[in-house]
Amino acid sequence: MSDNHEDVEIGTGATARVFRRSNSRGGMECEKILLPKFRGKAAFELSLRREFEILELARHPLVVSAVTLRSHQDSRWGSYHGLVTHWIEGWKLSEIYSWSSRFSMEFRKLWVGILYRQLSMVVQHLESKGIVHGD
């Protein structure tokens, strides 16, 4: 992790933590770092590299774009990588649900229709590239 920028943890999953930080160009970025017990292990490093390659292939305005695989060196964990992406400002689904509950059912149906069309466009785009999301 960079010593020059303030890192803010924004999430933790089964194998990695995700941090947000400012980058050297004054913008924001995210970095997915494997949890210590997975760092430097070939299968997990390969999975991170594959995720980077998929994001490179997926290029679409509604899909986060990969920036780089950043190399890290740590005296305890050795050499490992982090997957860096652009930061996209947004809301959690729970926040969207709470926000939308203030509006009429008619508006919410219209709004959900727009989101559904966007999601459908992304899925069609990914399928056209031979990418299938595993979740």
Side-chain angles (χ1 to χ4, degrees), residues 34 41 54 61 63 68 72 89 96 105 109 122:
L34 292 170
K41 295 200 164 118
I54 289 169
V63 175
T68 192
H72 295 276
E89 193 66 43
I96 292 171
M105 184 59 72
K109 286 180 181 179
V122 169

Side-chain angles (χ1 to χ4, degrees), residues 3 9 22 28 31 39 49 55 64 81 84 110 120:
D3 293 330
E9 183 176 343
S22 58
M28 299 299 287
E31 185 170 7
R39 291 180 189 165
R49 180 172 300 285
L55 287 175
V64 68
H81 293 91
V84 180
L110 178 67
S120 295

Side-chain angles (χ1 to χ4, degrees), residues 52-90:
F52 174 78
E53 291 167 355
I54 289 169
L55 287 175
E56 285 281 286
L57 180 63
R59 294 206 181 267
H60 186 277
L62 297 176
V63 175
V64 68
S65 55
V67 174
T68 192
L69 275 176
R70 182 173 288 146
S71 294
H72 295 276
Q73 187 66 37
D74 184 280
S75 59
R76 184 170 179 195
W77 307 108
S79 179
Y80 63 95
H81 293 91
L83 171 60
V84 180
T85 65
H86 292 285
W87 169 255
I88 298 177
E89 193 66 43

Side-chain angles (χ1 to χ4, degrees), residues 82-119:
L83 171 60
V84 180
T85 65
H86 292 285
W87 169 255
I88 298 177
E89 193 66 43
W91 291 359
K92 296 176 184 176
L93 285 176
S94 60
E95 294 170 332
I96 292 171
Y97 180 78
S98 177
W99 169 81
S100 69
S101 67
R102 296 182 275 169
F103 298 100
S104 70
M105 184 59 72
E106 183 178 319
F107 174 80
R108 286 187 282 173
K109 286 180 181 179
L110 178 67
W111 195 73
V112 165
I114 292 167
L115 288 178
Y116 179 78
R117 284 189 292 285
Q118 289 178 340
L119 181 58

